[in-house]
Amino acid sequence: MSSKEKILGTAIVLFAQKGYSGLSMRQLAQAVDMSVAAIYHHFPDKNTLYLEAVRFAFSDKEQVFAQVWESGCSAEEKLGGFIRSLIDVMLQDRDFHRLMQREILEADPERMQLLAQGIFKRQFSLLMQLATELAPEQDAQLVATSIIGLAKCYVEYQPLLKNFPGWKPKHEMPEVIAAHITELLLNSLRAKTA
Amino acid sequence: MSSKEKILGTAIVLFAQKGYSGLSMRQLAQAVDMSVAAIYHHFPDKNTLYLEAVRFAFSDKEQVFAQVWESGCSAEEKLGGFIRSLIDVMLQDRDFHRLMQREILEADPERMQLLAQGIFKRQFSLLMQLATELAPEQDAQLVATSIIGLAKCYVEYQPLLKNFPGWKPKHEMPEVIAAHITELLLNSLRAKTA
DNA sequence: ATGGACCTAACAAACGTTCAGTAGGTACAT
DNA sequence: ATGTACCTACTGAACGTTTGTTAGGTCCAT
């Protein structure tokens, strides 16, 4: 692993934990056991480093979903597979999830465009295509957004849900969450097309 | 409006925009047109100020939903009303929404408990009750979470969705979003009980 | 004359960034 | 083979600015 990759990998974890302004270059330097100037040798400034870290975090997620799309399953099975993969990725790589959350929270228009066009567009298009297949008469973007929103909220609210009445340990199991969401969606989409 | 309330109100907006470490005491002082020391006269330190601001932001939201619950509508109409109110609150008071998002992102266990027990518990319980009424055989917490997650994601992803294919201006209209979510949920819940 | 509300000015620490310099390697002309 | 030139990767020390916080004093209503 090169120094640059080491810096980026550590930056992902620490930016996800502390946020952009919460992480100082000195803290990062200490974490990768280098001098501050060494980091500035690889990256022109903090902002560029952050952007590259975000891009780096996203770079290996693309192929996780490839096998779902390329499988010979039915549309309904593909939906189940996609939801399950999405939840698995977010639960396993929480730094990725938190970094993504932070990016969306910041909502900088320029970065939103970069995020949408450069990173998520392909997956979102495929999901919209699937939505059209399942429910041709509904608005594909609305349906696709609902799918992602449903999956994401369970990961996001997990620390909060523990404290509500009605909480059960199985609510943290990816297969239970995925099954609930998939059923909810298929029930609805089927009802509409029938 | 007292100085203390003025500080808190401004702090909500700026903490929501910039995050805890992104907002300095000097910036806040300038925004409320006071000296830094004046803020320290009212609050012992930055952390306490932040906590009080969060609490202050949540204090007036409780009653927005009261009229939904107290209306004589059917369960299905109540669901529609709740979803519409939720989206309206989040779209109108974006600072409240962003501050809430930040709190959940931070996911400090102690603060999560405070948030759940002290602020959201009542609304969540009423929503679970409604879920049970609509779909008795389903897990109420899962359904309630799906309802909130669905509503929230549309507000959250708005800056991102603009950049995706298939976006239409009407996707930002609260009544369109609310209608889509309500229909999605009712379709599904009805299909199950039928 | 007492006390709450507020000020200016300063503190040490931490901040992002830069700069001059060095160790180690490669390439090339002599 | 050897000196020179140039490269990347890195260091230590410093730049000026901003940070959270506080001490000491002023104003004004009670």
Side-chain angles (χ1 to χ4, degrees):
Chain A
M1 188 171 54
S2 72
S3 288
K4 192 167 180 177
E5 281 170 346
K6 187 172 155 194
I7 294 171
L8 282 174
T10 310
I12 288 170
V13 177
L14 294 180
F15 274 132
Q17 265 173 37
K18 302 153 162 276
Y20 180 81
S21 49
L23 174 66
S24 75
M25 297 299 269
R26 283 170 178 81
Q27 285 168 16
L28 177 59
Q30 197 177 347
V32 294
D33 202 29
M34 287 182 193
S35 71
V36 184
I39 299 178
Y40 276 93
H41 174 71
H42 292 285
F43 305 94
D45 52 38
K46 188 186 180 184
N47 195 54
T48 307
L49 166 62
Y50 177 75
L51 256 44
E52 282 204 40
V54 171
R55 188 183 284 273
F56 189 71
F58 291 154
S59 63
D60 61 336
K61 305 296 173 206
E62 187 89 352
Q63 65 226 41
V64 176
F65 301 97
Q67 57 187 23
V68 174
W69 303 125
E70 287 158 14
S71 75
C73 297
S74 70
E76 298 204 353
E77 284 169 326
K78 273 186 189 168
L79 180 66
F82 177 80
I83 289 172
R84 180 63 202 268
S85 302
L86 192 58
I87 290 176
D88 278 347
V89 161
M90 291 191 296
L91 277 179
Q92 259 168 32
D93 196 343
R94 299 200 81 104
D95 294 322
F96 164 77
H97 176 241
R98 281 156 67 90
L99 205 59
M100 193 168 81
Q101 241 180 297
R102 266 189 211 284
E103 272 298 292
I104 293 171
L105 181 61
E106 233 58 61
D108 177 85
E110 196 181 320
R111 292 232 290 275
M112 285 298 101
Q113 202 193 331
L114 187 129
L115 215 67
Q117 301 291 335
I119 292 152
F120 288 132
K121 188 180 179 181
R122 183 169 156 68
Q123 297 303 318
F124 196 80
S125 296
L126 286 165
L127 186 60
M128 277 175 63
Q129 211 171 295
L130 182 65
T132 310
E133 216 171 311
L134 284 162
E137 77 293 342
Q138 285 203 45
D139 188 310
Q141 205 195 52
L142 288 180
V143 176
T145 305
S146 294
I147 294 170
I148 291 171
L150 272 172
K152 196 165 164 309
C153 76
Y154 280 93
V155 180
E156 196 174 322
Y157 300 161
Q158 212 168 73
L160 197 59
L161 289 171
K162 277 197 211 325
N163 300 288
F164 281 135
W167 181 83
K168 297 165 196 151
K170 69 168 181 175
H171 290 174
E172 302 203 345
M173 294 165 67
E175 64 269 29
V176 173
I177 302 170
H180 174 260
I181 297 172
T182 307
E183 201 187 297
L184 180 84
L185 284 162
L186 284 181
N187 267 343
S188 179
L189 298 178
R190 271 198 288 251
K192 205 58 200 300
T193 51
Chain B
M1 187 172 54
S2 72
S3 287
K4 191 166 179 177
E5 281 170 347
K6 185 171 156 195
I7 294 171
L8 282 174
T10 311
I12 288 170
V13 178
L14 294 180
F15 275 133
Q17 265 173 36
K18 302 153 163 275
Y20 180 82
S21 50
L23 174 65
S24 75
M25 299 298 270
R26 281 170 180 81
Q27 285 168 14
L28 177 59
Q30 196 176 349
V32 293
D33 202 29
M34 287 182 193
S35 72
V36 185
I39 299 177
Y40 277 93
H41 175 71
H42 293 284
F43 304 93
D45 53 38
K46 189 186 180 185
N47 196 54
T48 307
L49 166 62
Y50 176 75
L51 256 45
E52 281 204 42
V54 171
R55 187 184 286 270
F56 188 72
F58 291 155
S59 61
D60 61 335
K61 301 298 172 205
E62 187 88 352
Q63 66 226 41
V64 176
F65 301 97
Q67 58 187 24
V68 174
W69 303 125
E70 287 158 15
S71 75
C73 298
S74 69
E76 297 202 353
E77 285 168 326
K78 273 186 190 167
L79 180 66
F82 176 81
I83 289 172
R84 181 62 203 269
S85 303
L86 192 58
I87 291 177
D88 279 346
V89 162
M90 292 191 296
L91 277 179
Q92 259 168 32
D93 197 342
R94 299 198 81 106
D95 295 321
F96 164 77
H97 176 241
R98 281 156 69 88
L99 206 59
M100 194 169 80
Q101 239 180 298
R102 266 188 211 285
E103 272 298 291
I104 293 172
L105 181 61
E106 234 57 61
D108 176 86
E110 197 182 319
R111 292 231 291 274
M112 285 298 101
Q113 202 193 333
L114 186 131
L115 215 67
Q117 301 291 334
I119 292 153
F120 289 130
K121 187 181 179 181
R122 184 169 156 69
Q123 297 304 318
F124 196 80
S125 296
L126 286 165
L127 186 59
M128 277 176 62
Q129 210 171 296
L130 182 64
T132 310
E133 215 170 313
L134 284 162
E137 76 294 342
Q138 285 203 45
D139 188 311
Q141 205 196 50
L142 289 181
V143 176
T145 305
S146 295
I147 295 169
I148 292 171
L150 272 172
K152 197 166 163 308
C153 76
Y154 281 92
V155 181
E156 196 175 322
Y157 300 160
Q158 211 169 73
L160 197 59
L161 290 171
K162 276 196 210 326
N163 300 288
F164 281 134
W167 181 83
K168 299 165 196 151
K170 68 169 182 174
H171 290 173
E172 301 204 345
M173 295 164 68
E175 63 270 27
V176 173
I177 302 170
H180 173 260
I181 297 171
T182 307
E183 201 187 297
L184 180 85
L185 284 161
L186 284 181
N187 267 344
S188 178
L189 298 178
R190 269 198 289 252
K192 206 56 200 301
T193 51

